[in-house]
Amino acid sequence: MFTKVFSVPRKLNSMIFGLTGKNGSGKSTVAEFLITRGFQFYSLSDILREELQNEKKTITRENLIEIGNRLREQHGASVLAEKVSEKIHPDKNYVIDSIRNPFEVKTLKRLCGFKLIKVEAPIELRFERCKIRSREGAELTFETFKAIEEKELKSDSPTAQQILHTESLADYAVKNEHNIETLHTQLISLLKKSAQEMPRPGWDEYFMSIARVIANRSNCIKRHVAAILVKDKRIISTGYNGTPRGIMNCNEGGCPRCNDFGASGKSLSECLCSHAEENAITQAAYHGVSIKDSTLYTTFSPCLICTKMIINSAIKELVYDAAYSLNSLEFSLLKEAGITARALSTKR
């Protein structure tokens, strides 16, 4: 049973190459080269082959076209790309084969670092390759090969294969009409160029992304907040909000105020949870670490008590991700104390 999945935009610091091109152009050859260079491989066509096997149908070129069109009609034009994008992680490089619809490109481009490669070769050479590799379509005549290809190139239906439109969205093009060494030379040049263009987070985004991960450790049931203290581009202390050391966790009932689920901003003096900034500062004190002249990164701008702790700790700079609605006095105090306070400028 085919189940649709939904992908979300993600920032990835990887090289992610998608491959498009007409049948027999050499996409698999390009993919094999990238695999030998450490790239993880996925193919949209493999999803279609699995579906044909589940339906106990013969894997032919025409059946692949038919089931691909049907899945796009039933689940959306980008469904195959969505299914693959869920498997992408930021610590690896990837090559994704058999991209044949513009909506698939649009979805994959939501993954930062994605580039589409168009692989080109003359139709006569492509037909001979298909015969040699003995895959679906190999038994066809040249005339039938061309006729089936016409179905793939363009269509009035947005859910059908539209190879010509998809190729027009390519970031790079490589010609695969000579020897393998020539193709590899093109690919090495492309890899070098892509590596130079690979996105890399700035220091603010780097430290704030770490703070966001730390926030997952929060046991407060009202809001998950984290803060980290950085000095000389080195993390010296971390903290997240929750009940004090040795006290029952908030999510286990340790804070009556939070567990009453009252209105935000009310009865704050009754809350037993320590704030993330407070915990980052006190953790440094607990371990005897000086935080003078450090920068504090927090996923949520500080309350009045934490603001006074920041000032008295001689922290020189505050960077926050989201602003608390009751923060006018806090920002005024930070300004008067000569502490720089600024919102994270990098957009997610």
Side-chain angles (χ1 to χ4, degrees), residues 87 134 324 330:
K87 302 177 181 180
S134 298
Y324 185 43
E330 287 81 353

Side-chain angles (χ1 to χ4, degrees), residues 142-178:
F142 181 64
E143 288 71 23
T144 309
F145 180 86
K146 288 195 297 183
I148 294 178
E149 182 165 278
E150 287 299 319
K151 298 179 182 180
E152 301 176 310
L153 296 183
K154 57 185 177 180
S155 172
D156 294 331
S157 171
T159 59
Q161 290 195 29
Q162 300 184 38
I163 291 180
L164 291 180
H165 188 179
T166 304
E167 287 183 335
S168 72
L169 302 175
D171 300 283
Y172 306 117
V174 295
K175 293 188 179 298
N176 183 26
E177 55 188 357
H178 301 293

